[in-house]
Amino acid sequence: MGNGVREGPVEFQRDVEPITARIPAEDNQEKKKVLNSLMSGALAGAVAKTAVAPLDRTKIMFQVSSKRFSAKEAYRLIYHTYLNEGFWSLWRGNSATMVRVIPYAAIQFCAHEEYKQILGNYYGFQGKALTPFPRFIAGSLAGTTAAMVTYPLDMVRARMAVTPKEMYSSIVHVFIRISREEGLKTLYRGFTPTILGVIPYAGLSFFTYETLKKVHAEHSGRAQPSPPERLLFGACAGLIGQSASYPLDVVRRRMQTAGVLGHTYSSILLTMQDIVREEGLVRGLYKGLSMNWVKGPIAVGISFTTFDLTQILLRKLQHGPGLQR
């Protein structure tokens, strides 16, 4: 009987010890996964946006003006900007873009990975690809989360893109002048159309990219697409996502830059009505869309590809060459 009492604690300790040892290891793995997603997302956003910054600035300048858009006019604007302000002026506002896009992309990609896991557990798809509806929801939630956190930086970037460099000397200067002259609420002007646009844009972008990768794996027999294939899938995702949400992007830019361009836009519907009345439905709400069909797929393709390849590289460095995404 005495022997039984002594043996009980020994057996209990032997059973519990592996469990307590596993918990910190699982926590560390989860932390590494989140950190990898944040780093990969930040790099993906920075590379993609820098690559298309001149086209992005040109698109914004057309979106916030009543000038009719055409490829010829866009080229003329880029060329005149280059002649009058120099080559690097084509990237004016890109520093503000980086300040916004790096945290935005990091949060969006990281949130997407987490939402995929949460929805996978909820719907019982642990370790498997999500079905179409949860796939769309994961993308929409990821985009909404990132937009809510970084919106004031998007406002600053839009202001810097459409104003001469003498007006705002730095990102901090934009914040100070807007706060003093227009009030802090101005930093969130255009927030509602942004969120309404992000839901279909991010949802369709992530949905399309993930779906194309899944279809590719089923038909090719290869678990991972090649980098050119990833670029193509990302380009398709960007084309579909941006086309679906483009009118709200125009409305958002008009509301963001109203204070410096002499307009007053009080709501989404009134802004849309003003644009349609002055410029027409297609020419107004879809102004610059053809340029988006050039720059959007390039940017989204680069972004998704950079994220995936960086994830794979980081996992190889941490766990050896056998593990891939």
Side-chain angles (χ1 to χ4, degrees):
M1 185 174 178
N3 289 341
V5 172
R6 282 195 302 271
E7 289 171 3
V10 174
E11 290 300 318
F12 176 76
Q13 289 175 355
R14 193 178 299 135
D15 289 340
V16 171
E17 203 169 4
I19 297 172
T20 56
R22 275 199 304 270
I23 294 172
E26 289 175 2
D27 285 346
N28 286 337
Q29 282 298 107
E30 185 61 29
K31 286 177 183 176
K32 280 184 180 179
K33 179 185 170 187
V34 170
L35 185 60
N36 285 355
S37 295
L38 287 170
M39 291 171 59
S40 302
L43 181 62
V47 172
K49 277 295 183 182
T50 301
V52 298
L55 294 176
D56 212 19
R57 185 189 179 200
T58 304
K59 182 202 74 172
I60 292 172
M61 292 175 78
F62 273 101
Q63 281 182 329
V64 302
S65 74
S66 57
K67 292 170 65 176
R68 184 176 174 181
F69 176 85
S70 68
K72 184 178 179 181
E73 287 299 317
Y75 170 76
R76 185 176 296 169
L77 178 59
I78 292 172
Y79 184 64
H80 280 220
T81 303
Y82 162 70
L83 287 180
N84 297 329
E85 301 178 40
F87 178 73
W88 294 113
S89 67
L90 296 173
W91 275 263
R92 174 162 168 73
N94 196 51
S95 57
T97 301
M98 290 300 102
V99 171
R100 169 193 170 262
V101 115
I102 288 174
Y104 180 93
I107 293 168
Q108 180 176 240
F109 278 106
C110 182
H112 182 246
E113 294 297 306
E114 294 304 308
Y115 284 130
K116 278 200 303 183
Q117 185 173 324
I118 292 168
L119 290 169
N121 292 337
Y122 181 79
Y123 286 103
F125 300 125
Q126 295 97 328
K128 299 178 183 178
L130 295 175
T131 52
F133 181 67
R135 207 177 300 154
F136 175 82
I137 293 298
S140 295
L141 289 173
T144 303
T145 302
M148 289 175 68
V149 174
T150 62
Y151 185 77
L153 295 168
D154 188 45
M155 158 69 83
V156 169
R157 175 250 185 161
R159 286 290 181 93
M160 291 187 76
V162 301
T163 54
K165 57 186 176 183
E166 295 80 16
M167 186 167 184
Y168 297 119
S169 59
S170 67
I171 297 167
V172 176
H173 189 211
V174 183
F175 275 111
I176 292 171
R177 282 197 61 174
I178 289 176
S179 301
R180 285 179 180 171
E181 298 172 9
E182 303 172 57
L184 286 172
K185 286 177 66 176
T186 304
L187 292 172
Y188 279 89
R189 184 181 290 159
F191 179 72
T192 303
T194 297
I195 295 300
L196 292 176
V198 157
I199 291 170
Y201 170 66
L204 286 170
S205 295
F206 279 106
F207 168 81
T208 303
Y209 185 67
E210 294 286 324
T211 300
L212 289 173
K213 286 204 302 182
K214 183 174 181 291
V215 171
H216 171 272
E218 290 171 354
H219 286 79
S220 69
R222 290 186 284 122
Q224 297 295 332
S226 65
E229 287 169 335
R230 290 180 194 272
L231 281 169
L232 180 61
F233 298 162
C236 292
L239 188 66
I240 292 170
Q242 292 192 346
S243 297
S245 62
Y246 195 78
L248 286 164
D249 190 43
V250 174
V251 170
R252 169 176 64 122
R253 293 303 183 199
R254 291 293 179 95
M255 295 180 76
Q256 285 177 336
T257 58
V260 293
L261 296 177
H263 298 288
T264 53
Y265 297 119
S266 56
S267 70
I268 297 171
L269 286 177
L270 288 176
T271 304
M272 281 189 167
Q273 285 175 5
D274 286 347
I275 294 170
V276 172
R277 185 176 62 250
E278 293 173 10
E279 303 166 51
L281 178 64
V282 175
R283 290 178 181 173
L285 292 179
Y286 289 90
K287 181 187 290 183
L289 178 59
S290 57
M291 178 172 284
N292 242 36
W293 284 342
V294 175
K295 83 165 191 65
I298 294 172
V300 178
I302 291 172
S303 181
F304 277 124
T305 303
T306 303
F307 177 79
D308 277 358
L309 296 182
T310 306
Q311 282 276 79
I312 291 170
L313 176 61
L314 289 173
R315 292 186 183 192
K316 280 183 177 180
L317 291 173
Q318 290 171 359
H319 302 288
L323 188 60
Q324 288 193 352
R325 187 171 184 268

